[in-house]
Amino acid sequence: MKTLVIGATGYVGSRIAQEFRSHGHETYGLARSQKSKEVLSAAGVIPVEGDLAELAKLAATVDDFDVLVFAATVPFEDEKDVIQELLTAFTRPGRSLVFISGSGVVSTAARDGAWNDYTAAEDDPFPFPALRNRKIRITTERLLTDAASEGLRTFIIRPPLIWGRAGSIQIPQFFESARKTGTVCYLGQGLNLYSHVHVDDVATVSYLAFEKGTPGAVYHLVAGEVNFRAIAEAVGEVTGCPTRSLDYDQAVELWGAPWVDLGLAVNSRIRSPRTRTELGWTPAHVDVIEDIRHGSYKDAYDTAKAHGEVQGYSWAAHG
Ligand SMILES: NC(=O)c1ccc[n+]([C@@H]2O[C@H](COP(=O)([O-])OP(=O)(O)OC[C@H]3O[C@@H](n4cnc5c(N)ncnc54)[C@H](OP(=O)(O)O)[C@@H]3O)[C@@H](O)[C@H]2O)c1
């Protein structure tokens, strides 16, 4: 089948593209620059020129494919319009669209770093006032769910904190705090958390959903739970820096409000009964702390240090 991965140069999309390739799909990736074209070609993914900012042109491009995977990072406000345009161009019975969402849609605020016991399975009602980003992304998810009634096979994948291969949104920010302040910082009590899953498991489930999922379904992925203080302590071991608690204002000063509100000052806890039962999935990777202490994160840190570099990361794309 012909599959187009939008976001195939990214952390998550690059692994998904390899997963579809490994199952024999003719796999393409959207490229908005010469550099992206080169990255895709080197990874065995066929580049297709296009930019999500030029949707009118993209409509003709997506019409050529059987499967579309959306794993790009655009501001939440724009994401809804992008998905609407893609659906208009792509909806046809028998085609499939896999959308990478996130557990942020069920996050609850935790500005003091306290844990709470709310956790959501795929089809659970959400009993709290909506956080801003949750509201916007749920609207986008609904567009996709509704499209399933017109015959398009849509699947919504909600990963929590994704880790592995030295990537992630959150974990590099702890390294970044060590670089900037000489201490590994966490918020408040540091007892709040995201559920977590390895990036390769996200790719596995994205394919399983396409292969045998129920159109219109939401699938959660969870390999375990570790609070942010434990992550900070593991990063402290690797960097040799002590850990330090910040209050909310200090955290915003260090990392910026958009990231703190979305990635840190929340509990984002999910369960994955539907994914495990319907898709027959169990996580292949479960130990994020070991991967920080002795695995991909330590290797990346040591390599960067040996070259006199620092591991920097900034994340603003979702706005
Ligand atoms: N990483 C996580 O921990 C995590 C957790 C839960 C959910 N998610 C979700 O997973 C999705 C992907 O996240 P990620 O971490 O893989 O992001 P990422 O590494 O930043 O990759 C983003 C991708 O989007 C592409 N992109 C952005 N703007 C584009 C445009 N205008 N036209 C074409 N392509 C564009 C980028 O292409 P270029 O190479 O051209 O920049 C890149 O391939 C996001 O929706 C995110 O919310 C991620």
Side-chain angles (χ1 to χ4, degrees), residues 6-13 30-33 36 50-53 70-74 76 79 99-103 137 158-163 168-170 194 313 315 317-318:
I6 299 178
T9 52
Y11 178 49
V12 179
L30 191 70
R32 58 175 166 161
S33 65
S36 293
D51 191 322
L52 292 171
F70 189 90
T73 306
V74 293
F76 288 120
E79 192 175 65
F99 175 70
I100 308 304
S101 180
S103 72
R137 225 178 197 184
R158 284 187 191 153
L161 181 156
I162 305 176
W163 57 277
S168 161
I169 289 170
Q170 285 92 341
Y194 263 70
Y313 191 85
W315 189 70
H318 272 322

Side-chain angles (χ1 to χ4, degrees), residues 178-230:
R179 181 178 78 81
K180 281 186 175 159
T181 72
T183 57
V184 185
C185 301
Y186 57 90
L187 179 69
Q189 298 176 57
L191 299 176
N192 64 316
L193 60 89
Y194 263 70
S195 304
H196 66 73
V197 70
H198 193 280
V199 66
D200 290 2
D201 278 306
V202 180
T204 302
V205 170
S206 300
Y207 188 81
L208 285 174
F210 153 74
E211 187 184 44
K212 52 182 171 179
T214 306
V218 172
Y219 293 108
H220 284 181
L221 299 78
V222 189
E225 294 194 329
V226 174
N227 67 42
F228 283 125
R229 194 162 82 197

Side-chain angles (χ1 to χ4, degrees), residues 228-303:
F228 283 125
R229 194 162 82 197
I231 290 176
E233 283 165 358
V235 173
E237 272 183 44
V238 173
T239 57
C241 296
T243 59
R244 180 164 66 106
S245 168
L246 302 182
D247 66 24
Y248 176 79
D249 291 338
Q250 291 169 320
V252 165
E253 197 178 323
L254 175 62
W255 286 300
W259 182 77
V260 169
D261 287 341
L262 190 76
L264 189 64
V266 293
N267 283 289
S268 194
R269 304 181 55 221
I270 55 174
R271 292 178 291 115
S272 50
R274 185 169 190 173
T275 307
R276 290 172 188 251
T277 307
E278 259 183 47
L279 306 183
W281 173 73
T282 50
H285 308 271
V286 295
D287 198 342
V288 57
I289 293 296
E290 180 62 15
D291 198 28
I292 296 170
R293 281 196 188 127
H294 302 119
S296 70
Y297 296 93
K298 172 148 176 56
D299 289 349
Y301 180 79
D302 289 345
T303 303

